[in-house]
Amino acid sequence: MEHVEQLLAGLEDGSIRAASRSADGDWTAHGWVKRGILAAFRLSETVELDWPGGSVDKSLVPARRITAGDGIRLVPGGTSVRRGAHLAPGVVVMPPSYVNAGAHVGAGSMVDSHVLVGSCAQVGAGVHLSTAVQLGGVLEPVGARPVVVEDDVFVGAQCGLYEGVVVRRGAVLAPGVTLTSGTTIYDLVEQRELRGEVPERAVVVPGSRPARGDYADVLGLSLYAPVIVKYRDAATDAATALEESLR
């Protein structure tokens, strides 16, 4: 029990992370951290908790108590940040949103309304998660890489990122982009196909491509296809890059 408490405290203060980036840029999940979070659930009792409107949850991983000393702004109105989740100083969380155990949100990031930051998801500094963004969580299998959003990324409204997809530094996702580890991303700039990763400073918008086969041709069916339409340059901020790309 003591080790579980130490793990949760380390996750909250940022000294322990569920995944980390190596010098070559690869992100690796730390299975021992996930096993510790799973142990917290296994060792917990289901208890009534003091929470507006009432709450019943696992005793070792209730919602965190956020104070002014944490250096973040948690706007009231239905948001919950679970034990074992890290919010760095300068983070703003708009209601209602949910940040699950093992998640890490870097300094100065914005978590807008109706956002889910799933268990063990890794969000960098200066990231904007717009309204209704969903970052999938993963605890099992323990070796599975979580969703990663690196520094200075702009994620548009109602985007969904799942199955350990990585969005590299400075990328921009237009509203409605959905990515999984197996989604093919069509790079119109470099003329290539990518899976599981959005390159640095890429601007991605939802697109479509014709479905194959006579039946699809008759019905005029098309398939979802996210498309990289440009790359941000040093003089272009995320909002400007997205606006230009959607015109």
Side-chain angles (χ1 to χ4, degrees):
M1 195 79 72
E2 179 181 352
H3 293 305
V4 169
E5 290 286 354
Q6 291 173 349
L7 171 65
L8 295 174
L11 286 166
E12 289 173 12
D13 67 25
S15 60
I16 297 173
R17 296 183 64 163
S20 60
R21 189 180 191 271
S22 63
D24 61 4
D26 287 339
W27 282 87
T28 302
H30 302 308
W32 68 272
V33 174
K34 290 185 180 182
R35 282 190 288 270
I37 296 172
L38 290 168
F41 283 95
R42 188 173 62 253
L43 296 172
S44 289
E45 300 175 319
T46 302
V47 297
E48 293 186 2
L49 301 168
D50 179 18
W51 196 253
S55 176
V56 179
D57 200 1
K58 296 294 188 177
S59 56
L60 293 178
V61 281
R64 283 185 57 185
R65 293 291 181 179
I66 304 296
T67 69
D70 293 310
I72 71 170
R73 184 157 69 92
L74 186 70
V75 180
T79 291
S80 183
V81 179
R82 203 167 201 167
R83 280 224 61 195
H86 173 73
L87 300 181
V91 168
V92 176
V93 185
M94 300 299 291
S97 292
Y98 187 65
V99 184
N100 210 346
H104 182 105
V105 182
S109 289
M110 163 66 81
V111 179
D112 215 331
S113 300
H114 297 279
V115 168
L116 167 66
V117 182
S119 53
C120 299
Q122 303 293 295
V123 178
V127 171
H128 189 116
L129 301 178
S130 302
T131 299
V133 165
Q134 304 284 291
L135 305 185
V138 60
L139 283 173
E140 295 182 287
V142 294
R145 184 179 67 190
V147 169
V148 175
V149 179
E150 294 188 344
D151 296 350
D152 302 318
V153 169
F154 180 91
V155 184
Q158 296 187 324
C159 285
L161 305 177
Y162 309 104
E163 297 178 0
V165 68
V166 176
V167 182
R168 295 292 185 181
R169 180 189 302 268
V172 178
L173 306 185
V177 169
T178 300
L179 300 174
T180 71
S181 59
T183 303
T184 300
I185 304 169
Y186 297 89
D187 188 341
L188 301 185
V189 180
E190 301 294 338
Q191 298 185 17
R192 58 182 175 170
E193 297 179 7
L194 306 167
R195 289 181 181 82
E197 183 173 314
V198 176
E200 287 192 11
R201 309 187 69 80
V203 179
V204 185
V205 303
S208 63
R209 62 184 180 85
R212 295 178 179 175
D214 294 340
Y215 186 64
D217 290 340
V218 170
L219 296 180
L221 298 179
S222 60
L223 302 175
Y224 169 69
V227 177
I228 297 173
V229 291
K230 68 171 291 183
Y231 284 82
R232 293 170 59 187
D233 56 38
T236 308
D237 66 22
T240 303
L242 181 56
E243 181 179 352
E244 289 177 351
S245 299
L246 292 175
R247 285 179 179 175

